[in-house]
Structures are given as C-alpha cells and as structure tokens.
Amino acid sequence: MAHPTKEEFLEITDKYLNNTASVEEVEVVEAYYQLFSTEPEVLEKIAELGLDPLEKKMRAKISERIKELERVNLPGTRSYQLWYRLAGAAIVLISLSVGLYFYVNRSSQYSAMNIVAENDIKPGKNSAVLTLANGKQISLTDGIDGKIADEKGTAITKTKSGQLIYDISELQRDKPEVSFNMLTTPKGGQFQVQLPDGTIVWLNAASVIKFPTTFSGMPERKVVLSGEAYFEVARVAVKGADGKHISMPFIVETEKQRVEVLGTHFNINAYHDEGSDNTTLLEGSVRVAMLNLKGEKSAQVILKPNQQSVLTTNGIRVNQVDAEQAVAWKSGLFMFEGESLDYIMKKIARWYDVDIHFENEELKQKIYSGSFSRFTNVSQVLQKIELTHTARFNVKGRKITLYKY
C-alpha cells in the first residue's frame, strides 16, 4: 500500500466503520487520520476525491474512541499503551500518507493543473439586462443602486446585494395599468428579482423571464420563462366571483409546459439544449401540464415535494429526486450525481461563458459525480473532474477541449 488506490483506501475505512477491521487495521486508520488532521492540503485532496462524508464519519468515530481512551487513560493500562502505539503507528505510516498525497497529486499532472493564470477563466457573476415596456434596456451589471425606473406607478429598485425589486404604488393597485418587463441573463450571469406580488425568482445563466409590472386586476399571475429559474412564490388572496377570498394562481409557462402553483418553492429547467423541460418541487404542490405545438394542455401531473417531472415524447415522467441538489446552483454550487459529461459541460459552458469541444463523442456519455463551488475559476472545476480520471482538459482562450483519460 505504498501508493494506495481510492478503492483500497475506501475498503479499509469501510471495515473500520462497520467494526470488522482487525486490531492492526484499526490502528492504521486511526493513525492515518491523526496524521492528516495536521495536513490541511492533504485533507483538501481527500475532499477533491469526494470523500468529505466519509471523512466526517471517520472523525466522529475517532472522537468517540478518543473519549473512550481518555476515560481509562491510566499509565500502564492497555488503553494507555494503545494510545502510544497509535502515535508510533503514525510515524510508521508517514510513508503511507505521503504515498496517498503523491498518488492524488500524480493524477493532477495534466492540463487542467497547468493552466497559467492569464489563461484561466473566472466564474460568472450577478449580471443581467432589464428591458422595459418601451423597449429601453438597462444594464444591471453596472454598479448603479437605488431606483432605476418607474413603470406606470411601479417603482423598480436595484439593491446593493444584486436584487431587482418591484414596488407597486396604491394607484397601481386601485387602477392598474399593465405593462411587461423582461429580465435577461447572459452566459456567465445570474440575477434575482422580486416580482410585484412578492414572489422571489433566482434566474440562472443564459435565461429570460417575462412578467407584468403589476398583477392587480388579473385572474392569475403569469410569467414566461426560457432557461432556468428557482421560484419562491408568495401567496396572494383575491376575491372570487362569490365575494370570498381565494388564492390567486401563479403560472410559469415555458415553450413546452405550464406549471401552476398557489404558494410554493420549485425549480424549472427549460434550456433548449438539454433536451427536455423538468420541474423540481421543494415545498408545497404544483400542477405541471405538457403543452402541444398549439400551446394546448395535454398530459398533466401534480408533484409532491422531492419529485421532479420530466417531459418526454410519451408524456410526463415523475421521478423521486434530491430536490436540494436540483437547486444547488442557487446556493453557489454545482452538484452532480451520476450525470453525463455532456450534461455537466453544458452547465459549465453557460456559467463560465465558454465553448466546449469533445475530442471523442463517446466521452459525452462518461459519468461523473461530485460537487464544487460555482465561484472558483474554471481550472479548479476541471481539476476535480480530472482527479476521478473521467477526462482530461485543455483550455485555449474560451474553448475547453475534452480528451480521453
């Protein structure tokens, strides 16, 4: 085990966590982690290998063992001797630890590790363009904060934190004049908007949302989306035909589907290049209807939390999913679980505003699982994928080429 593989490393730690490890293996594992606790660079490499959950379990179990030893830690006792044996094992295992360190780094001697600073690509940022009803366009990338426009009594404000807020005046509520605005994010951009009803929308890169400047006097709240957005829908009550208050429906329409909600948290992915629209529900309930070429409803389903609808040629498929993973982008993370490189690189292309080229079509179907921050340079993202031997990368200008490992 001078140069342990990831599989060998997992095997011994798995036995340790299941209490099936031998005395020697227990000592090896515990000394191993004691040694690593003072080596943050090595721990970072373990994180890059996707072993963070394992590392947390190991730390918890070792902490329990330490407390157990401390309770009976008297000179001359077996526990006291064992503790010294662990310290001795740490010295013996220096070569093992260094072996893993070089094993991990050996995997990094590829192009993504050698991207020079001037050729690296920075991550996306808050960036968007607001198109007013009269066609005027306002760049929201500029450092302008405060009130930026007024749409027939609806004040539009940009906050320092990068949020667009629509505030309706009393006049608009009493005698509403409806006009439509459009918020567009470029590749490498994202933005947040609070709609006139209080609904908050996070708009991902290369996306467009069209919405009215007031929902007053309307039978429903309807917005049109292209791309991806996460919605936290505010509940709004209106008087029905019988004079009683009812919840005002909130509708999101894409080219292929219509999603109707009353008050809930959900994510819609409607990128054209990803093949099929999907809607992921975190909280509440939504009704998803498939639209035909004439814009008429066809198949429809009602989603429960942690379900995702996927439009197919045969209708709507519903999957049980980890909803938090689907909206990780909103929290500044890429999270992939068994996704194809083709799918992953489309996400990377949009966020870093780069072009992707596969040396071999077969590479598109390679599977990768992992997570990383969306706010690191592209080289760090590519390095983490390379560490799993999924693919190699070359970056030239704003073009990323993938090669077989």
Side-chain angles (χ1 to χ4, degrees):
M1 292 189 56
H3 298 285
T5 65
K6 179 180 176 181
E7 289 70 25
E8 289 170 337
F9 181 77
L10 289 172
E11 183 179 353
I12 189 172
T13 50
D14 188 53
K15 290 169 70 176
Y16 179 88
L17 291 171
N18 291 324
N19 297 315
T20 58
S22 67
V23 174
E24 287 184 44
E25 287 172 330
V26 167
E27 293 176 5
V28 165
V29 171
E30 293 182 348
Y32 194 81
Y33 271 82
Q34 288 299 318
L35 180 63
F36 274 7
S37 66
T38 58
E39 297 291 339
E41 289 185 2
V42 178
L43 286 175
E44 183 180 346
K45 292 299 179 184
I46 287 176
E48 289 175 349
L49 282 172
L51 301 178
D52 302 69
L54 172 64
E55 201 264 335
K56 289 178 182 177
K57 290 181 182 178
M58 294 296 297
R59 283 187 178 275
K61 191 167 182 68
I62 289 173
S63 294
E64 291 177 10
R65 290 263 298 164
I66 291 173
K67 290 177 182 178
E68 181 183 338
L69 288 172
E70 287 175 343
R71 285 197 296 269
V72 291
N73 189 15
L74 300 174
T77 64
R78 185 175 181 278
S79 299
Y80 184 79
Q81 293 167 356
L82 175 60
W83 191 245
Y84 268 91
R85 287 170 65 194
L86 290 179
I91 297 173
V92 173
L93 286 166
I94 287 176
S95 60
L96 171 63
S97 305
V98 173
L100 176 65
Y101 182 79
F102 281 106
Y103 162 73
V104 173
N105 278 277
R106 188 180 62 211
S107 302
S108 305
Q109 304 306 310
Y110 294 94
S111 56
M113 293 296 293
N114 300 320
I115 297 174
V116 292
E118 60 267 23
N119 194 39
D120 208 348
I121 298 171
K122 293 182 179 180
K125 59 183 180 180
N126 283 342
S127 176
V129 172
L130 175 66
T131 304
L132 302 178
N134 62 8
K136 179 182 177 182
Q137 293 189 328
I138 302 173
S139 172
L140 303 177
T141 308
D142 302 330
I144 301 173
D145 300 320
K147 187 174 179 180
I148 60 174
D150 190 297
E151 288 282 69
K152 298 179 180 179
T154 299
I156 307 173
T157 305
K158 178 175 175 283
T159 68
K160 290 183 179 179
S161 61
Q163 185 186 49
L164 205 60
I165 296 178
Y166 281 71
D167 188 17
I168 309 173
S169 67
E170 289 300 323
L171 179 63
Q172 269 285 56
R173 289 189 177 89
D174 296 337
K175 297 181 179 180
E177 290 187 55
V178 180
S179 58
F180 288 85
N181 283 187
M182 187 165 65
L183 186 64
T184 305
T185 55
K187 279 187 173 183
Q190 64 177 16
F191 218 81
Q192 186 184 127
V193 57
Q194 180 177 301
L195 300 180
D197 64 336
T199 292
I200 301 177
V201 183
W202 285 258
L203 199 62
N204 206 348
S207 301
V208 182
I209 186 169
K210 184 178 180 182
F211 52 91
T213 56
T214 178
F215 293 111
S216 299
M218 293 184 171
E220 61 186 22
R221 299 169 286 167
K222 179 181 172 182
V223 302
V224 178
L225 172 70
S226 173
E228 184 170 23
Y230 172 78
F231 295 81
E232 289 188 355
V233 179
R235 289 188 177 273
V236 175
V238 293
K239 284 187 178 181
D242 57 0
K244 295 182 179 179
H245 282 84
I246 58 174
S247 293
M248 187 180 189
F250 188 95
I251 310 295
V252 182
E253 276 197 3
T254 71
E255 184 180 3
K256 298 178 181 178
Q257 68 175 349
R258 176 184 169 96
V259 179
E260 180 180 346
V261 304
L262 298 177
T264 188
H265 299 179
F266 63 101
N267 190 83
I268 294 180
N269 182 328
Y271 286 118
H272 295 295
D273 63 351
E274 290 191 13
S276 180
D277 291 15
N278 66 61
T279 300
T280 307
L281 182 65
L282 283 82
E283 183 181 302
S285 66
V286 298
R287 180 185 293 109
V288 180
M290 197 170 183
L291 301 178
N292 60 26
L293 295 176
K294 296 180 180 180
E296 301 168 335
K297 293 181 185 178
S298 54
Q300 61 180 15
V301 297
I302 294 178
L303 296 182
K304 297 177 181 179
N306 289 311
Q307 287 187 333
Q308 181 183 82
S309 63
V310 180
L311 303 192
T312 72
T313 54
N314 298 319
I316 304 175
R317 183 177 73 248
V318 176
N319 301 324
Q320 289 293 137
V321 297
D322 178 358
E324 292 297 335
Q325 181 177 324
V327 299
W329 66 268
K330 179 182 71 74
S331 302
L333 291 172
F334 283 111
M335 291 185 69
F336 303 114
E337 183 64 39
E339 301 289 357
S340 70
L341 272 182
D342 187 35
Y343 174 85
I344 291 169
M345 295 312 294
K346 284 174 180 174
K347 300 284 187 186
I348 290 174
R350 275 192 293 269
W351 183 236
Y352 288 93
D353 189 14
V354 294
D355 295 320
I356 304 297
H357 175 72
F358 286 84
E359 179 197 35
N360 189 300
E361 286 295 307
E362 293 178 6
L363 268 175
K364 292 183 177 182
Q365 305 310 316
K366 291 289 290 287
I367 301 301
Y368 173 80
S369 296
S371 62
F372 32 83
S373 169
R374 277 163 53 103
F375 296 105
T376 57
N377 285 359
V378 76
S379 61
Q380 293 176 262
V381 173
L382 302 183
Q383 287 166 23
K384 292 187 177 183
I385 298 176
E386 276 191 354
L387 282 168
T388 64
H389 292 199
T390 305
R392 292 185 297 114
F393 300 89
N394 181 45
V395 180
K396 189 172 183 179
R398 303 200 76 84
K399 179 181 178 181
I400 298 176
T401 304
L402 286 77
Y403 300 90
K404 281 187 175 181
Y405 202 90

